Amino acid sequence: MHNNSLILKEQFWTFLTCLENLNEPMPLKQFLDLSEIDENLFTDAVSFLQNLNYFVEVSEVAGRNYIHPVKADQMISMQLTFKEWLAFQAHFPKMQEEQGTAHHEVLSLKLCEVENEYSGHDLFKAIDDEEKRFQLLENLDLKHKDFLRKTEEAMSREFCLNIQLHDKRIIDFFPRKAVFLEGELCLVGEDCNDRCLIYFNILEIKKINVDIDTNYCPNFSSIEINDFISAVRAITGQEERLVLKIISSESVDLRPAYQFLGNPYVTTNLNGDLIWAASVEPCDELFEWILSIKDHVEILDPSSLKKKYLEYCEAKLEYLEDDYKKAG
């Protein structure tokens, strides 16, 4: 592309914006003043667009030239399958190389509109969730990561698991949730033989196999699973009611991986602030989640959890400073 191309001139894109926002005929001189372009650029732009089969209509009425709104048949319509939209999103980072140019800003605004319309198919949100999940699993060794992968596969396909623990117990297990309890990643589910709810630390597992042959019908609803987790926390005294003020809801993730949020609730206070609350278990992984969204939230209550969070942040900062000194 030549350095003097109209495509690289901001006035050209301003002209197109004004043209596409035109709702009724307007005197050409008034239009040129509005779009802040001169007649030479206007002539060049009209000629350039004509080569693209995009025709700008100008007519003379009572000795004055009028420019007309763009006809409907000049609109471009593009339909994408889910696969094509996903592939398109994967190219977005590459487009940042054009940041600062007028044509990039036009495309960026349009893509933001489409992303908001199809927010449920946000590739980068899914990637961010995946990365946070991987970060949480860094403390697990390769063997236990494989156990968790098999558990998640079994949950998604409603398969049973045959699990052997280090204490030599063997359990036929129908997994329902992977969640932090008492600061450790635990599996919650149903004993296929006793048909009761049980849980155990993933580090207790010695061996795990996916059972694709057993057809087990769940005995408990999702609500009963949540009640069971809340009861376990009540017994251990590990549950607290976290209340956050959401400062910016656009990019805040209120679904931390492997954290059980008991009775989540969202409301607004008298000042119009968005308030979020849920019963949580204070642990390092919860504090890591709060730290990841610290620019978007403020801890309102309880003060005891806020204190623990600040202590965690201070300890982490000291650890990072020690690492930096050792590396230096």
Side-chain angles (χ1 to χ4, degrees), residues 218-244:
N219 196 35
F220 296 90
S221 67
S222 297
I223 294 175
E224 289 172 316
I225 299 295
N226 292 344
D227 289 343
F228 174 77
I229 296 172
S230 293
V232 171
R233 285 183 174 173
I235 292 171
T236 60
Q238 295 290 320
E239 192 169 72
E240 295 190 56
R241 190 71 177 169
L242 173 63
V243 182
L244 301 176

Side-chain angles (χ1 to χ4, degrees), residues 1-9 13 48 98 101 103:
M1 187 184 300
H2 193 277
N3 291 338
N4 202 34
S5 172
L6 282 173
I7 292 294
L8 299 178
K9 293 184 178 180
W13 295 98
F48 179 71
E98 297 292 313
T101 63
H103 54 272

Side-chain angles (χ1 to χ4, degrees), residues 148-162:
L148 184 59
R149 181 188 61 78
K150 287 182 177 178
T151 300
E152 291 180 331
E153 179 187 358
M155 284 191 290
S156 66
R157 302 177 68 178
E158 298 187 342
F159 287 158
C160 291
L161 295 171
N162 182 264

Side-chain angles (χ1 to χ4, degrees), residues 29-157:
K29 187 177 185 309
Q30 182 182 343
F31 176 84
L32 294 178
D33 291 340
L34 179 67
S35 56
E36 297 182 344
I37 65 170
D38 58 34
E39 291 186 10
N40 289 332
L41 191 141
F42 174 77
T43 302
D44 290 344
V46 170
S47 177
F48 179 71
L49 293 173
Q50 188 171 342
N51 290 334
L52 292 166
N53 291 314
Y54 186 93
F55 301 99
V56 180
E57 184 181 355
V58 177
S59 63
E60 185 178 339
V61 179
R64 298 179 69 185
N65 288 324
Y66 281 79
I67 187 169
H68 294 260
V70 177
K71 293 181 179 178
D73 60 5
Q74 302 278 30
M75 297 290 290
I76 303 295
S77 178
M78 180 172 66
Q79 289 186 323
L80 297 175
T81 66
F82 173 76
K83 178 191 71 175
E84 291 164 343
W85 173 236
L86 206 62
F88 194 18
Q89 289 184 83
H91 276 76
F92 288 180
K94 193 69 176 176
M95 296 177 188
Q96 294 302 314
E97 295 177 5
E98 297 292 313
Q99 193 166 14
T101 63
H103 54 272
H104 173 80
E105 298 306 316
V106 172
L107 181 59
S108 180
L109 287 172
K110 185 60 183 179
L111 291 177
C112 283
E113 287 181 21
V114 180
E115 279 188 307
N116 290 333
E117 185 176 355
Y118 297 97
S119 57
H121 300 324
D122 188 341
L123 173 65
F124 299 102
K125 174 65 169 60
I127 290 175
D128 187 53
D129 289 347
E130 187 179 48
E131 287 179 350
K132 288 177 181 176
R133 174 176 167 271
F134 289 151
Q135 290 171 5
L136 285 172
L137 298 180
E138 284 181 356
N139 293 329
L140 291 176
D141 58 31
L142 187 61
K143 178 177 67 174
H144 291 95
K145 286 179 184 177
D146 183 59
F147 290 167
L148 184 59
R149 181 188 61 78
K150 287 182 177 178
T151 300
E152 291 180 331
E153 179 187 358
M155 284 191 290
S156 66
R157 302 177 68 178

